[in-house]
Every structure is written in structure tokens, then in C-alpha cells.
Amino acid sequence: MTTRLESMIREKLYYKDGLLFWRNIPSVHPKARGKEAGSLSGNGYKQVGIEKNVLPQHRVIFFIFHGYWPDYIDHINREKTDNRIENLRECQIWQNGVNKRQKNSSKYGTNVTYHKRDKKYRVQVHVHKKPVSFGYYDDLELAQLVASEAREKY
């Protein structure tokens, strides 16, 4: 990012409770002053336009708080529109991929499958692209809890 854009972000925007707002200053359009900045993008993330640039709001908020632009930012609770600073963390590309919602998760929950032959629920999580088994369980709720804890840990 350019230092001009960075200074414009600091000058024109402020953060409050996970949202960006336009400052009430002369360099901001009169209709926008004091109002929430940005809109929802087609991919479900909030975005803001400033100086002919459209930027994801979570990246702008991270920059406002930390003063730099990381390669990857993760929403800890996986909610794309929850841009509270405590919900944002810098991460590696593989960490960001691990935290994505699984569209193809089984009907038993993410990382849980049912084995008819054994009549048990299996928990398996991929760690550094390799499957790691966390055991077989008679109880679905227990298997889901183990899967959740394994995802958090790894």
C-alpha cells in the first residue's frame, strides 16, 4: 500500500465496535460524515472505498490498529462480517485455509464421519495437509467436541 493511501485511511476513517465510520471532517463528503463506511461485497466480506481503492474492511481495521499490512488475516470465529479487532489475527496461508467453513462437512459435523461397520463416529482432522485420526466414539456429541478441540489446537 502507498503511504498516501495509508494517511488517507488514518485521516478519513475511524473504528468503533468492529465497524468503520467516516470522520466528521471537511475532506469527507458531507452526506457520509459520521456514517458507517463501506458496503458488503459479493463474496460476503465488508469493503470500503477510499482514494479510488476498494479494500476489505478487515484489512483496513488491522492496519489501523497494528500499522502494517499482513499477507493473511483470519476471522477467528469464521464470521466474514465480524471485524472486531479481537476477532482478527495475522496468520499463514495454511492457517487461513484450515479455519474456513467446510462446505462439504458431513451431516455429523465438520471432521466427524460415521462408520457403519464399527457403529462409531470417527474424528479426523488434517494437520499440515496430512490426516490425523483422533479416535472413534460411540457418542456423536463427544465426537463433535473432540473434533472442535482438535481444530482449535491444530
Side-chain angles (χ1 to χ4, degrees), residues 59-81:
R59 295 191 61 77
V60 172
I61 290 169
F62 191 95
F63 169 75
I64 288 171
F65 273 83
H66 299 289
Y68 68 98
W69 302 95
D71 291 332
Y72 299 96
I73 299 173
D74 188 32
H75 288 83
I76 297 168
N77 69 3
R78 299 191 231 173
E79 293 296 328
K80 294 178 179 182
T81 58

PDB file of all heavy atoms in Angstrom, residues 59-81:
ATOM      1  N   ARG A  59      -8.958  -5.809   6.604  1.00  0.00           N
ATOM      2  CA  ARG A  59      -7.555  -5.443   6.385  1.00  0.00           C
ATOM      3  C   ARG A  59      -7.309  -3.988   6.825  1.00  0.00           C
ATOM      4  O   ARG A  59      -6.277  -3.684   7.416  1.00  0.00           O
ATOM      5  CB  ARG A  59      -7.166  -5.645   4.923  1.00  0.00           C
ATOM      6  CG  ARG A  59      -7.218  -7.132   4.510  1.00  0.00           C
ATOM      7  CD  ARG A  59      -6.599  -7.394   3.168  1.00  0.00           C
ATOM      8  NE  ARG A  59      -5.201  -7.060   3.094  1.00  0.00           N
ATOM      9  CZ  ARG A  59      -4.207  -7.808   3.608  1.00  0.00           C
ATOM     10  NH1 ARG A  59      -4.480  -8.920   4.243  1.00  0.00           N
ATOM     11  NH2 ARG A  59      -2.951  -7.417   3.480  1.00  0.00           N
ATOM     12  N   VAL A  60      -8.254  -3.114   6.540  1.00  0.00           N
ATOM     13  CA  VAL A  60      -8.120  -1.711   6.948  1.00  0.00           C
ATOM     14  C   VAL A  60      -8.106  -1.614   8.477  1.00  0.00           C
ATOM     15  O   VAL A  60      -7.267  -0.903   9.055  1.00  0.00           O
ATOM     16  CB  VAL A  60      -9.257  -0.853   6.350  1.00  0.00           C
ATOM     17  CG1 VAL A  60      -9.233   0.557   6.914  1.00  0.00           C
ATOM     18  CG2 VAL A  60      -9.159  -0.829   4.826  1.00  0.00           C
ATOM     19  N   ILE A  61      -8.999  -2.335   9.137  1.00  0.00           N
ATOM     20  CA  ILE A  61      -9.057  -2.305  10.600  1.00  0.00           C
ATOM     21  C   ILE A  61      -7.758  -2.841  11.194  1.00  0.00           C
ATOM     22  O   ILE A  61      -7.204  -2.262  12.134  1.00  0.00           O
ATOM     23  CB  ILE A  61     -10.292  -3.080  11.104  1.00  0.00           C
ATOM     24  CG1 ILE A  61     -11.559  -2.304  10.746  1.00  0.00           C
ATOM     25  CG2 ILE A  61     -10.202  -3.353  12.603  1.00  0.00           C
ATOM     26  CD1 ILE A  61     -12.854  -3.070  10.939  1.00  0.00           C
ATOM     27  N   PHE A  62      -7.256  -3.932  10.642  1.00  0.00           N
ATOM     28  CA  PHE A  62      -5.989  -4.479  11.128  1.00  0.00           C
ATOM     29  C   PHE A  62      -4.883  -3.434  10.980  1.00  0.00           C
ATOM     30  O   PHE A  62      -4.086  -3.220  11.887  1.00  0.00           O
ATOM     31  CB  PHE A  62      -5.635  -5.762  10.375  1.00  0.00           C
ATOM     32  CG  PHE A  62      -4.491  -6.517  10.984  1.00  0.00           C
ATOM     33  CD1 PHE A  62      -4.724  -7.554  11.867  1.00  0.00           C
ATOM     34  CD2 PHE A  62      -3.182  -6.192  10.681  1.00  0.00           C
ATOM     35  CE1 PHE A  62      -3.671  -8.246  12.443  1.00  0.00           C
ATOM     36  CE2 PHE A  62      -2.115  -6.869  11.248  1.00  0.00           C
ATOM     37  CZ  PHE A  62      -2.362  -7.906  12.136  1.00  0.00           C
ATOM     38  N   PHE A  63      -4.850  -2.769   9.827  1.00  0.00           N
ATOM     39  CA  PHE A  63      -3.840  -1.731   9.594  1.00  0.00           C
ATOM     40  C   PHE A  63      -3.982  -0.586  10.601  1.00  0.00           C
ATOM     41  O   PHE A  63      -2.981  -0.099  11.145  1.00  0.00           O
ATOM     42  CB  PHE A  63      -3.933  -1.187   8.165  1.00  0.00           C
ATOM     43  CG  PHE A  63      -3.104   0.044   7.975  1.00  0.00           C
ATOM     44  CD1 PHE A  63      -1.721  -0.042   7.869  1.00  0.00           C
ATOM     45  CD2 PHE A  63      -3.700   1.306   7.937  1.00  0.00           C
ATOM     46  CE1 PHE A  63      -0.939   1.108   7.720  1.00  0.00           C
ATOM     47  CE2 PHE A  63      -2.930   2.441   7.796  1.00  0.00           C
ATOM     48  CZ  PHE A  63      -1.553   2.349   7.688  1.00  0.00           C
ATOM     49  N   ILE A  64      -5.196  -0.132  10.847  1.00  0.00           N
ATOM     50  CA  ILE A  64      -5.416   0.972  11.782  1.00  0.00           C
ATOM     51  C   ILE A  64      -4.845   0.625  13.159  1.00  0.00           C
ATOM     52  O   ILE A  64      -4.210   1.451  13.806  1.00  0.00           O
ATOM     53  CB  ILE A  64      -6.922   1.323  11.877  1.00  0.00           C
ATOM     54  CG1 ILE A  64      -7.387   2.021  10.588  1.00  0.00           C
ATOM     55  CG2 ILE A  64      -7.209   2.200  13.090  1.00  0.00           C
ATOM     56  CD1 ILE A  64      -8.888   2.214  10.474  1.00  0.00           C
ATOM     57  N   PHE A  65      -5.037  -0.600  13.604  1.00  0.00           N
ATOM     58  CA  PHE A  65      -4.578  -0.999  14.935  1.00  0.00           C
ATOM     59  C   PHE A  65      -3.095  -1.348  15.001  1.00  0.00           C
ATOM     60  O   PHE A  65      -2.437  -1.060  15.986  1.00  0.00           O
ATOM     61  CB  PHE A  65      -5.402  -2.180  15.452  1.00  0.00           C
ATOM     62  CG  PHE A  65      -6.648  -1.752  16.157  1.00  0.00           C
ATOM     63  CD1 PHE A  65      -7.781  -1.442  15.446  1.00  0.00           C
ATOM     64  CD2 PHE A  65      -6.684  -1.633  17.536  1.00  0.00           C
ATOM     65  CE1 PHE A  65      -8.933  -1.021  16.079  1.00  0.00           C
ATOM     66  CE2 PHE A  65      -7.828  -1.212  18.182  1.00  0.00           C
ATOM     67  CZ  PHE A  65      -8.961  -0.910  17.457  1.00  0.00           C
ATOM     68  N   HIS A  66      -2.582  -2.001  13.956  1.00  0.00           N
ATOM     69  CA  HIS A  66      -1.222  -2.534  14.030  1.00  0.00           C
ATOM     70  C   HIS A  66      -0.205  -1.778  13.172  1.00  0.00           C
ATOM     71  O   HIS A  66       1.001  -1.979  13.327  1.00  0.00           O
ATOM     72  CB  HIS A  66      -1.222  -4.018  13.662  1.00  0.00           C
ATOM     73  CG  HIS A  66      -2.059  -4.835  14.595  1.00  0.00           C
ATOM     74  ND1 HIS A  66      -1.699  -5.100  15.893  1.00  0.00           N
ATOM     75  CD2 HIS A  66      -3.260  -5.436  14.412  1.00  0.00           C
ATOM     76  CE1 HIS A  66      -2.629  -5.841  16.471  1.00  0.00           C
ATOM     77  NE2 HIS A  66      -3.587  -6.044  15.600  1.00  0.00           N
ATOM     78  N   GLY A  67      -0.667  -0.977  12.220  1.00  0.00           N
ATOM     79  CA  GLY A  67       0.236  -0.149  11.440  1.00  0.00           C
ATOM     80  C   GLY A  67       0.948  -0.836  10.289  1.00  0.00           C
ATOM     81  O   GLY A  67       1.881  -0.281   9.721  1.00  0.00           O
ATOM     82  N   TYR A  68       0.535  -2.052   9.954  1.00  0.00           N
ATOM     83  CA  TYR A  68       1.141  -2.735   8.805  1.00  0.00           C
ATOM     84  C   TYR A  68       0.092  -3.636   8.145  1.00  0.00           C
ATOM     85  O   TYR A  68      -0.976  -3.884   8.698  1.00  0.00           O
ATOM     86  CB  TYR A  68       2.379  -3.541   9.217  1.00  0.00           C
ATOM     87  CG  TYR A  68       2.099  -4.748  10.089  1.00  0.00           C
ATOM     88  CD1 TYR A  68       2.008  -6.020   9.535  1.00  0.00           C
ATOM     89  CD2 TYR A  68       1.930  -4.621  11.458  1.00  0.00           C
ATOM     90  CE1 TYR A  68       1.749  -7.124  10.328  1.00  0.00           C
ATOM     91  CE2 TYR A  68       1.676  -5.719  12.260  1.00  0.00           C
ATOM     92  CZ  TYR A  68       1.588  -6.966  11.689  1.00  0.00           C
ATOM     93  OH  TYR A  68       1.322  -8.060  12.474  1.00  0.00           O
ATOM     94  N   TRP A  69       0.425  -4.119   6.939  1.00  0.00           N
ATOM     95  CA  TRP A  69      -0.475  -4.937   6.145  1.00  0.00           C
ATOM     96  C   TRP A  69       0.056  -6.372   6.107  1.00  0.00           C
ATOM     97  O   TRP A  69       0.992  -6.659   5.373  1.00  0.00           O
ATOM     98  CB  TRP A  69      -0.571  -4.406   4.715  1.00  0.00           C
ATOM     99  CG  TRP A  69      -1.023  -2.989   4.636  1.00  0.00           C
ATOM    100  CD1 TRP A  69      -0.223  -1.879   4.548  1.00  0.00           C
ATOM    101  CD2 TRP A  69      -2.364  -2.514   4.636  1.00  0.00           C
ATOM    102  NE1 TRP A  69      -0.986  -0.752   4.493  1.00  0.00           N
ATOM    103  CE2 TRP A  69      -2.315  -1.103   4.545  1.00  0.00           C
ATOM    104  CE3 TRP A  69      -3.609  -3.132   4.701  1.00  0.00           C
ATOM    105  CZ2 TRP A  69      -3.451  -0.308   4.522  1.00  0.00           C
ATOM    106  CZ3 TRP A  69      -4.742  -2.344   4.679  1.00  0.00           C
ATOM    107  CH2 TRP A  69      -4.663  -0.952   4.587  1.00  0.00           C
ATOM    108  N   PRO A  70      -0.516  -7.290   6.880  1.00  0.00           N
ATOM    109  CA  PRO A  70      -0.041  -8.678   6.832  1.00  0.00           C
ATOM    110  C   PRO A  70      -0.475  -9.355   5.535  1.00  0.00           C
ATOM    111  O   PRO A  70      -1.403  -8.895   4.857  1.00  0.00           O
ATOM    112  CB  PRO A  70      -0.722  -9.322   8.032  1.00  0.00           C
ATOM    113  CG  PRO A  70      -1.971  -8.538   8.207  1.00  0.00           C
ATOM    114  CD  PRO A  70      -1.634  -7.127   7.796  1.00  0.00           C
ATOM    115  N   ASP A  71       0.196 -10.449   5.201  1.00  0.00           N
ATOM    116  CA  ASP A  71      -0.178 -11.192   3.996  1.00  0.00           C
ATOM    117  C   ASP A  71      -1.570 -11.800   4.131  1.00  0.00           C
ATOM    118  O   ASP A  71      -2.366 -11.774   3.201  1.00  0.00           O
ATOM    119  CB  ASP A  71       0.844 -12.293   3.707  1.00  0.00           C
ATOM    120  CG  ASP A  71       2.186 -11.729   3.278  1.00  0.00           C
ATOM    121  OD1 ASP A  71       2.212 -10.606   2.701  1.00  0.00           O
ATOM    122  OD2 ASP A  71       3.204 -12.394   3.512  1.00  0.00           O
ATOM    123  N   TYR A  72      -1.868 -12.357   5.310  1.00  0.00           N
ATOM    124  CA  TYR A  72      -3.153 -13.025   5.524  1.00  0.00           C
ATOM    125  C   TYR A  72      -3.723 -12.648   6.884  1.00  0.00           C
ATOM    126  O   TYR A  72      -2.984 -12.533   7.860  1.00  0.00           O
ATOM    127  CB  TYR A  72      -3.010 -14.551   5.445  1.00  0.00           C
ATOM    128  CG  TYR A  72      -2.511 -14.999   4.098  1.00  0.00           C
ATOM    129  CD1 TYR A  72      -1.169 -15.248   3.885  1.00  0.00           C
ATOM    130  CD2 TYR A  72      -3.386 -15.132   3.025  1.00  0.00           C
ATOM    131  CE1 TYR A  72      -0.697 -15.631   2.643  1.00  0.00           C
ATOM    132  CE2 TYR A  72      -2.930 -15.511   1.774  1.00  0.00           C
ATOM    133  CZ  TYR A  72      -1.585 -15.748   1.588  1.00  0.00           C
ATOM    134  OH  TYR A  72      -1.131 -16.115   0.353  1.00  0.00           O
ATOM    135  N   ILE A  73      -5.036 -12.453   6.907  1.00  0.00           N
ATOM    136  CA  ILE A  73      -5.756 -12.160   8.144  1.00  0.00           C
ATOM    137  C   ILE A  73      -6.881 -13.172   8.263  1.00  0.00           C
ATOM    138  O   ILE A  73      -7.572 -13.475   7.293  1.00  0.00           O
ATOM    139  CB  ILE A  73      -6.331 -10.735   8.143  1.00  0.00           C
ATOM    140  CG1 ILE A  73      -5.205  -9.714   8.032  1.00  0.00           C
ATOM    141  CG2 ILE A  73      -7.163 -10.479   9.396  1.00  0.00           C
ATOM    142  CD1 ILE A  73      -5.685  -8.294   7.851  1.00  0.00           C
ATOM    143  N   ASP A  74      -7.072 -13.666   9.463  1.00  0.00           N
ATOM    144  CA  ASP A  74      -8.072 -14.684   9.731  1.00  0.00           C
ATOM    145  C   ASP A  74      -9.145 -14.124  10.655  1.00  0.00           C
ATOM    146  O   ASP A  74      -8.833 -13.417  11.608  1.00  0.00           O
ATOM    147  CB  ASP A  74      -7.371 -15.876  10.399  1.00  0.00           C
ATOM    148  CG  ASP A  74      -8.268 -17.070  10.562  1.00  0.00           C
ATOM    149  OD1 ASP A  74      -9.155 -17.269   9.720  1.00  0.00           O
ATOM    150  OD2 ASP A  74      -8.072 -17.821  11.536  1.00  0.00           O
ATOM    151  N   HIS A  75     -10.407 -14.416  10.348  1.00  0.00           N
ATOM    152  CA  HIS A  75     -11.502 -14.137  11.279  1.00  0.00           C
ATOM    153  C   HIS A  75     -11.576 -15.343  12.214  1.00  0.00           C
ATOM    154  O   HIS A  75     -11.930 -16.446  11.788  1.00  0.00           O
ATOM    155  CB  HIS A  75     -12.829 -13.977  10.530  1.00  0.00           C
ATOM    156  CG  HIS A  75     -12.933 -12.705   9.752  1.00  0.00           C
ATOM    157  ND1 HIS A  75     -12.398 -12.550   8.497  1.00  0.00           N
ATOM    158  CD2 HIS A  75     -13.495 -11.518  10.078  1.00  0.00           C
ATOM    159  CE1 HIS A  75     -12.653 -11.328   8.065  1.00  0.00           C
ATOM    160  NE2 HIS A  75     -13.313 -10.681   9.008  1.00  0.00           N
ATOM    161  N   ILE A  76     -11.247 -15.151  13.471  1.00  0.00           N
ATOM    162  CA  ILE A  76     -11.140 -16.252  14.419  1.00  0.00           C
ATOM    163  C   ILE A  76     -12.440 -17.047  14.513  1.00  0.00           C
ATOM    164  O   ILE A  76     -12.427 -18.276  14.498  1.00  0.00           O
ATOM    165  CB  ILE A  76     -10.710 -15.733  15.808  1.00  0.00           C
ATOM    166  CG1 ILE A  76      -9.309 -15.111  15.699  1.00  0.00           C
ATOM    167  CG2 ILE A  76     -10.735 -16.849  16.850  1.00  0.00           C
ATOM    168  CD1 ILE A  76      -8.893 -14.310  16.914  1.00  0.00           C
ATOM    169  N   ASN A  77     -13.579 -16.352  14.584  1.00  0.00           N
ATOM    170  CA  ASN A  77     -14.865 -17.055  14.723  1.00  0.00           C
ATOM    171  C   ASN A  77     -15.480 -17.437  13.371  1.00  0.00           C
ATOM    172  O   ASN A  77     -16.609 -17.894  13.319  1.00  0.00           O
ATOM    173  CB  ASN A  77     -15.855 -16.228  15.542  1.00  0.00           C
ATOM    174  CG  ASN A  77     -16.324 -14.977  14.830  1.00  0.00           C
ATOM    175  OD1 ASN A  77     -15.965 -14.707  13.688  1.00  0.00           O
ATOM    176  ND2 ASN A  77     -17.135 -14.189  15.511  1.00  0.00           N
ATOM    177  N   ARG A  78     -14.756 -17.244  12.296  1.00  0.00           N
ATOM    178  CA  ARG A  78     -15.139 -17.610  10.930  1.00  0.00           C
ATOM    179  C   ARG A  78     -16.292 -16.791  10.353  1.00  0.00           C
ATOM    180  O   ARG A  78     -16.825 -17.127   9.309  1.00  0.00           O
ATOM    181  CB  ARG A  78     -15.494 -19.091  10.837  1.00  0.00           C
ATOM    182  CG  ARG A  78     -14.379 -20.008  11.197  1.00  0.00           C
ATOM    183  CD  ARG A  78     -14.746 -21.411  10.820  1.00  0.00           C
ATOM    184  NE  ARG A  78     -14.551 -22.299  11.937  1.00  0.00           N
ATOM    185  CZ  ARG A  78     -14.908 -23.559  11.933  1.00  0.00           C
ATOM    186  NH1 ARG A  78     -15.480 -24.082  10.889  1.00  0.00           N
ATOM    187  NH2 ARG A  78     -14.715 -24.316  12.972  1.00  0.00           N
ATOM    188  N   GLU A  79     -16.694 -15.723  11.035  1.00  0.00           N
ATOM    189  CA  GLU A  79     -17.763 -14.857  10.529  1.00  0.00           C
ATOM    190  C   GLU A  79     -17.131 -13.734   9.707  1.00  0.00           C
ATOM    191  O   GLU A  79     -16.454 -12.866  10.246  1.00  0.00           O
ATOM    192  CB  GLU A  79     -18.586 -14.278  11.677  1.00  0.00           C
ATOM    193  CG  GLU A  79     -19.388 -15.312  12.440  1.00  0.00           C
ATOM    194  CD  GLU A  79     -20.443 -15.987  11.588  1.00  0.00           C
ATOM    195  OE1 GLU A  79     -20.994 -15.329  10.673  1.00  0.00           O
ATOM    196  OE2 GLU A  79     -20.716 -17.166  11.837  1.00  0.00           O
ATOM    197  N   LYS A  80     -17.384 -13.744   8.405  1.00  0.00           N
ATOM    198  CA  LYS A  80     -16.745 -12.804   7.486  1.00  0.00           C
ATOM    199  C   LYS A  80     -17.044 -11.342   7.794  1.00  0.00           C
ATOM    200  O   LYS A  80     -16.262 -10.463   7.461  1.00  0.00           O
ATOM    201  CB  LYS A  80     -17.191 -13.088   6.052  1.00  0.00           C
ATOM    202  CG  LYS A  80     -16.738 -14.393   5.492  1.00  0.00           C
ATOM    203  CD  LYS A  80     -17.297 -14.562   4.084  1.00  0.00           C
ATOM    204  CE  LYS A  80     -16.845 -15.851   3.452  1.00  0.00           C
ATOM    205  NZ  LYS A  80     -17.352 -15.970   2.071  1.00  0.00           N
ATOM    206  N   THR A  81     -18.185 -11.070   8.403  1.00  0.00           N
ATOM    207  CA  THR A  81     -18.561  -9.676   8.655  1.00  0.00           C
ATOM    208  C   THR A  81     -18.241  -9.225  10.081  1.00  0.00           C
ATOM    209  O   THR A  81     -18.500  -8.084  10.427  1.00  0.00           O
ATOM    210  CB  THR A  81     -20.063  -9.467   8.381  1.00  0.00           C
ATOM    211  OG1 THR A  81     -20.810 -10.359   9.202  1.00  0.00           O
ATOM    212  CG2 THR A  81     -20.387  -9.697   6.913  1.00  0.00           C
TER     213      THR A  81
END
